[in-house]
Amino acid sequence: MTFTLFIVCLGLASPPDFNREVLPTLREHCFQCHSHETGKNKGGLVVDSSNGLRLGGDGGPAVNAQKPDQSPLLLAIRRQEGVSAMPPAKALPEPARIVLERWVLAGAPWPAESGVSPKPVKAARNGVITPADRTWWAFQPLAPTAVSVRDAQSIDLHIDSSLKARGWNRASPADSADWLRRVTYDLTGLPPATAEAKAFAANPDKSAAIDRLLASPHFGEKWGRFWLDLVRYAESDGYRADEFRPTAWRYRDWVVAAWNSDMPYDRFLRLQLAGDELEPNNPESLIALGYLRLGTYEYNQRDSTAQWNAILEDITDVTADVALGLGLACARCHDHKYDPLLQRDYHALKSFFSGLVWRDDVPVSKAEAERMLAWEKQTAQRREQLAKLEAPHRRIAFQDARALFPPELQKLLDTPREQLSPAEKQVYDIAYRQVQYEYDHLETRMKDAKAREEIKKLRLELKAETPTFATAQTVSEVGATVDNPTVAKRGKKPEPIAPGVPTVLDRLGLPAIQVRANSSGRRAALAQWLTGPENPLVPRVMVNRVWQRVFGKGLVATTSDWGTLGEKPSHPELLDGLTRGFINGGWKLKPLIRAMVLSETYGQSSVRLDNPAMRDSDSDNRYLWRGPSRRLDAEEVRDSLFASANTLDRTVGGPGVGDDAPRRSIYLKVRRNTRDPLLAAFDAADGLQTTPQRLPTVTVTQTLLLRNGPLAESQSAALGKLIVSSGEGDRIKALFLRALGRLPRPEEASAVENAVASHANDAACWTDTAHAVLESNAFLYLE
């Protein structure tokens, strides 16, 4: 009998008390050579944190999670032949060795309350990725043992197995009305309509209800908002001026339509990165490129070189966060201190975007392009006449605008664009926008009144003949040849960095970069690499994001940080099984979401009082021992106020509207510096940075807006009037069905009945009652 089996047979494989036994042993025998406390990490190893153990040193992880009895730490303290013995001088005392063996065999658990901070391991990479770096779980291919998961039953089997291993079980099913409210909000962001709630109560067919919700046009509005959070969508520039972007909404509508049509995620991602290169004859692919125009922009920034570099860096940062789940921005100026990401990796990814130029004049269809061409022919003579009149005034405006730039940019603006290098053309274009601004406002700076009136008259005539053309904010490439960005390496001369993928993932070969018509083909190669069949990271990250949106917490809790600073998956086999099923299913998101919300795991009651041990051990519900529970998102709060009173305009798509319009919140104008007060108070994304998960707050402002805010007051009055005038017999039931999408519970019905008993026919009474329901926790939270 082996020693390991002997320990297990004696029941010693359960972990010893960490603070009383393990930590003192580590301090006495290990920390002097392998700890942040002493500043020593011999062999690159520290053992004073969970991160340190799983990252390991030069030889790889110190603990083998799959085969604990083969853990290098265990073999070292046993002084096994062929393994570097630890401690090197003499063997551990037997009691200390047994404590550590029991601990390692139990998985080396490291409780947060241990008194030792689980610091990640700093690494001096010096531009090198080690074999140990490549062993990090997120960079591995899908586990060969992970069976494709594409249905609800398989999800339940995985979760049940995990609970059973802990001696736990699932909660009882949620009340059918609570389940319908939960799934309706999760799939459409709206409460169940009264008719839907009644129909489901009569025939609680969950499968049919889910199919109906997935087919709703409101599905794309709900899940499109989730994507817009990630890519920091807004309709204004930011900075102090915060200029409005009148055509940015076309990208928002493209995203909503893509979710509604269940566009495969690999194509969805590819079009946003390189639609012009991959599908040049498809107008919608040009709208998808609005993703590359979502960053902030300061129109009067005089250092156009620095501004253009900042724009490219922003695109690089967001793409790494959203697609790969990697915080690559930390490697912009030096090798990442903790993750296996090099400075070279950052600038190699940035190089894929180095050919971009902004376009605001691209028509969204062939028909629109033909209209523009016809208008140009029709107005050619008048436009030429106007140009001659404006020419002397433009020369003055150009010189005034030019003088505001530093000398090197003045020289650039003086050079004909066709004589510039690709990189110079990009900076020229950004700087010239400020010149064009002066041209557009030429009348305001002209002192010659006669010339001013003549030009004004001609402009008005042209404007009367000019239709509104449908264009989109998009991009193209500066040409087939581009300049590689230059990176300053510490202690070395700056060097150009060619396009490339992170070194730690270079086993996934980059497709050949093929020059296309007036385009470098770089973004197409990146898009194909990200969505290639060998890349496990992109589909894994997206599957995890969907899980987080459905269950409230991702299988990997840090949804945009899959490096060593992030958390490992709670259910790794399930994550890989879902990812395999997602890929095998053609990267379709609706079937993935359907399987999740149809599962019994999702359908559990969110309230569970029978087993306090579960709550104490897993207060975040990471192992799904109860159903998901959450507060409504900001948009859901606002939209539900309108929906409850039957005043919501459910029109899908179109230009952004003002805050007071009764449209769904996704269609409000999104200004970065001037946000809707209700949405801001309830933690809506600000459009300034990628938002993988909203962190709900509880504030007095929220309470005041629901109590005294104009929207809550107006919709409470409209709801109260609707209840009185509807002619429905049981007004209390009608109120709850409209406000909450469910019937009142007995205690709720009794409380309302007592409150309205002496004022049952008073419209003001029902307004107050409706207001009380609309500001209640029952309205704000999903059970």
Side-chain angles (χ1 to χ4, degrees):
M1 180 181 289
T2 66
F3 185 75
T4 300
L5 183 58
F6 178 71
I7 290 178
V8 172
C9 290
L10 287 179
L12 297 178
S14 59
D17 183 277
F18 185 87
N19 287 313
R20 186 169 54 85
E21 298 177 78
V22 177
L23 187 54
T25 302
L26 290 171
R27 280 194 195 282
E28 181 178 357
H29 300 287
C30 307
F31 281 14
Q32 55 187 325
C33 296
H34 304 281
S35 136
H36 288 94
E37 292 183 0
T38 60
K40 296 181 180 180
N41 62 335
K42 292 186 176 180
L45 173 67
V46 292
V47 296
D48 60 359
S49 68
S50 179
N51 272 340
L53 289 164
R54 71 179 187 237
L55 283 173
D58 297 340
V63 174
N64 186 329
Q66 305 300 322
K67 298 179 180 179
D69 60 332
Q70 296 299 312
S71 295
L73 176 59
L74 198 63
L75 303 180
I77 63 176
R78 289 177 178 169
R79 312 180 82 76
Q80 184 165 313
E81 187 176 350
V83 176
S84 297
M86 292 293 152
K90 60 178 181 179
L92 285 173
E94 188 168 350
R97 177 172 52 80
I98 291 175
V99 164
L100 293 183
E101 285 193 338
R102 289 171 56 203
W103 178 58
V104 172
L105 289 171
W110 196 292
E113 64 273 17
S114 63
V116 173
S117 224
K119 298 176 183 176
V121 182
K122 270 194 178 183
R125 301 197 179 280
N126 297 319
V128 176
I129 297 297
T130 68
D133 291 329
R134 297 178 186 273
T135 64
W136 183 242
W137 72 271
F139 307 140
Q140 306 311 306
L142 298 180
T145 57
V147 178
S148 176
V149 173
R150 297 178 63 182
D151 58 76
Q153 292 78 12
S154 298
I155 291 174
D156 290 331
L157 285 173
H158 276 275
I159 297 300
D160 287 348
S161 175
S162 173
L163 291 173
K164 186 177 180 181
R166 290 167 175 78
W168 299 353
N169 60 355
R170 268 195 273 119
S172 58
D175 177 83
S176 61
D178 288 338
W179 179 90
L180 180 66
R181 186 168 189 262
R182 178 192 299 172
V183 77
T184 305
Y185 269 111
D186 282 345
L187 295 189
T188 69
L190 293 169
T194 297
E196 294 167 352
K198 289 180 177 178
F200 189 77
N203 179 27
D205 185 338
K206 291 185 175 181
S207 182
I210 291 168
D211 289 341
R212 172 179 57 78
L213 295 168
L214 289 172
S216 166
H218 303 309
F219 170 81
E221 294 169 334
K222 165 68 177 180
W223 284 82
R225 180 66 260 178
F226 147 73
W227 183 259
L228 296 176
D229 278 11
L230 283 172
V231 299
R232 81 269 185 251
Y233 172 78
E235 295 174 57
S236 68
D237 289 342
Y239 293 104
R240 183 174 181 178
D242 204 30
E243 290 286 332
F244 187 65
R245 300 174 176 179
T247 63
W249 62 271
R250 295 191 189 279
Y251 171 76
R252 173 251 289 156
D253 278 7
W254 180 86
V255 169
V256 171
W259 279 90
N260 274 333
S261 67
D262 202 16
M263 180 184 290
Y265 179 63
D266 53 350
R267 181 167 183 256
F268 179 71
L269 193 58
R270 287 197 301 267
L271 288 182
Q272 293 177 74
L273 290 167
D276 57 327
E277 294 182 331
L278 295 171
E279 300 183 17
N281 297 319
N282 180 5
E284 82 166 14
S285 69
L286 302 180
I287 298 174
L289 293 168
Y291 162 72
L292 298 172
R293 293 291 304 276
L294 294 176
T296 54
Y297 164 67
E298 189 173 16
Y299 93 93
N300 60 352
Q301 168 60 261
R302 310 306 180 191
D303 188 350
S304 299
T305 304
Q307 179 167 39
W308 183 246
N309 186 59
I311 288 168
L312 294 184
E313 287 177 344
D314 178 58
I315 293 169
T316 304
D317 298 347
V318 174
T319 300
D321 278 344
V322 172
L324 294 168
L326 296 176
L328 195 60
C330 295
R332 184 185 301 166
C333 304
H334 49 70
D335 293 347
H336 200 294
K337 295 299 184 184
Y338 301 103
D339 292 345
L341 300 169
L342 307 177
Q343 185 185 21
R344 174 179 291 274
D345 295 339
Y346 181 89
H347 292 276
L349 183 63
K350 180 182 169 186
S351 285
F352 284 109
F353 302 107
S354 59
L356 289 179
V357 289
W358 284 2
R359 298 288 301 278
D360 295 320
D361 59 341
V362 177
V364 300
S365 67
K366 291 181 179 178
E368 202 66 14
E370 291 171 359
R371 287 181 67 221
M372 291 178 72
L373 185 61
W375 174 83
E376 288 173 358
K377 290 181 178 178
Q378 178 185 337
T379 60
Q381 186 175 355
R382 190 173 282 104
R383 287 186 294 109
E384 184 178 351
Q385 180 185 359
L386 179 62
K388 288 180 179 179
L389 288 172
E390 290 182 344
H393 305 287
R394 285 192 174 219
R395 283 193 290 270
I396 296 171
F398 175 82
Q399 292 301 327
D400 289 347
R402 173 188 177 279
L404 298 173
F405 290 97
E408 63 272 15
L409 288 177
Q410 292 182 23
K411 182 178 179 181
L412 196 70
L413 288 169
D414 289 339
T415 307
R417 188 178 185 277
E418 60 273 13
Q419 297 178 17
L420 300 174
S421 71
E424 289 172 334
K425 288 178 181 177
Q426 293 168 303
V427 176
Y428 176 97
D429 288 350
I430 286 292
Y432 197 80
R433 284 173 167 262
Q434 298 182 43
V435 176
Q436 187 61 50
Y437 178 88
E438 297 301 328
Y439 291 168
D440 293 340
H441 297 81
L442 205 60
E443 297 169 36
T444 63
R445 53 185 299 127
M446 292 174 60
K447 296 179 180 179
D448 186 334
K450 182 179 178 181
R452 182 171 64 245
E453 288 303 313
E454 191 175 2
I455 288 173
K456 182 178 180 181
K457 179 183 176 182
L458 199 52
R459 282 189 170 187
L460 287 173
E461 289 176 1
L462 264 175
K463 185 177 181 181
E465 295 181 21
T466 304
T468 300
F469 295 114
T471 59
Q473 281 195 322
T474 184
V475 300
S476 62
E477 292 252 323
V478 69
T481 303
V482 300
D483 298 318
N484 290 330
T486 298
V487 56
K489 301 287 285 183
R490 287 185 178 180
K492 298 180 181 179
K493 293 181 179 179
E495 58 175 314
I497 303 294
V501 302
T503 307
V504 75
L505 294 170
D506 58 10
R507 65 176 179 82
L508 312 172
L510 178 69
I513 297 176
Q514 300 176 349
V515 175
R516 297 159 190 258
N518 202 36
S519 182
S520 70
R522 292 183 173 194
R523 286 178 288 113
L526 173 63
Q528 290 165 334
W529 176 78
L530 287 170
T531 57
E534 301 302 317
N535 191 331
L537 198 51
V538 171
R540 261 197 194 122
V541 166
M542 189 56 178
V543 166
N544 186 63
R545 291 193 192 283
V546 172
W547 184 277
Q548 175 261 314
R549 198 66 194 87
V550 170
F551 289 97
K553 183 179 285 291
L555 295 169
V556 178
T558 48
T559 53
S560 281
D561 185 358
W562 287 42
T564 60
L565 295 176
E567 293 193 22
K568 297 180 78 171
S570 57
H571 302 75
E573 289 251 338
L574 175 57
L575 177 59
D576 276 8
L578 286 166
T579 305
R580 193 181 296 281
F582 176 55
I583 295 171
N584 293 343
W587 296 68
K588 293 276 192 172
L589 288 157
K590 281 189 178 181
L592 176 67
I593 295 168
R594 187 183 193 278
M596 290 181 187
V597 297
L598 192 56
S599 69
E600 293 181 6
T601 302
Y602 175 83
Q604 299 176 91
S605 171
S606 64
V607 179
R608 186 166 190 182
L609 305 175
D610 63 317
N611 195 328
M614 295 184 193
R615 183 185 65 245
D616 294 341
S617 299
D618 183 22
S619 60
D620 288 342
N621 193 33
R622 194 175 186 201
Y623 294 101
L624 282 302
W625 50 272
R626 59 172 176 82
S629 174
R630 67 175 178 88
R631 194 193 68 195
L632 298 185
D633 290 339
E635 293 84 355
E636 292 171 336
V637 173
R638 182 183 177 277
D639 296 352
S640 296
L641 290 171
F642 285 114
S644 64
N646 201 29
T647 57
L648 181 65
D649 178 353
R650 298 179 184 239
T651 303
V652 176
V657 297
D659 295 350
D660 57 346
R663 294 284 305 281
R664 290 207 66 177
S665 300
I666 193 173
Y667 300 121
L668 299 187
K669 292 179 180 177
V670 185
R671 293 184 182 271
R672 287 182 161 113
N673 293 355
T674 311
R675 303 169 64 199
D676 176 80
L678 186 70
L679 297 184
F682 280 95
D683 313 304
D686 60 13
L688 291 169
Q689 58 188 346
T690 176
T691 305
Q693 186 172 6
R694 297 184 186 180
L695 302 176
T697 61
V698 178
T699 67
V700 173
T701 305
Q702 296 166 357
T703 304
L704 292 174
L705 284 169
L706 288 180
R707 175 71 278 185
N708 304 315
L711 180 60
E713 288 187 339
S714 66
Q715 297 312 300
S716 297
L719 177 56
K721 182 178 180 180
L722 188 64
I723 295 301
V724 171
S725 63
S726 66
E728 297 189 43
D730 193 327
R731 290 176 174 175
I732 297 175
K733 287 184 179 179
L735 171 61
F736 274 76
L737 281 169
R738 288 193 175 277
L740 305 183
R742 65 166 174 82
L743 293 171
R745 310 196 196 289
E747 63 274 17
E748 293 170 333
S750 177
V752 174
E753 189 173 2
N754 291 335
V756 302
S758 58
H759 306 280
N761 295 315
D762 185 350
C765 170
W766 285 101
T767 293
D768 291 343
T769 304
H771 203 158
V773 173
L774 292 178
E775 64 178 332
S776 68
N777 280 348
F779 173 78
L780 283 175
Y781 288 86
L782 299 176
E783 296 181 2

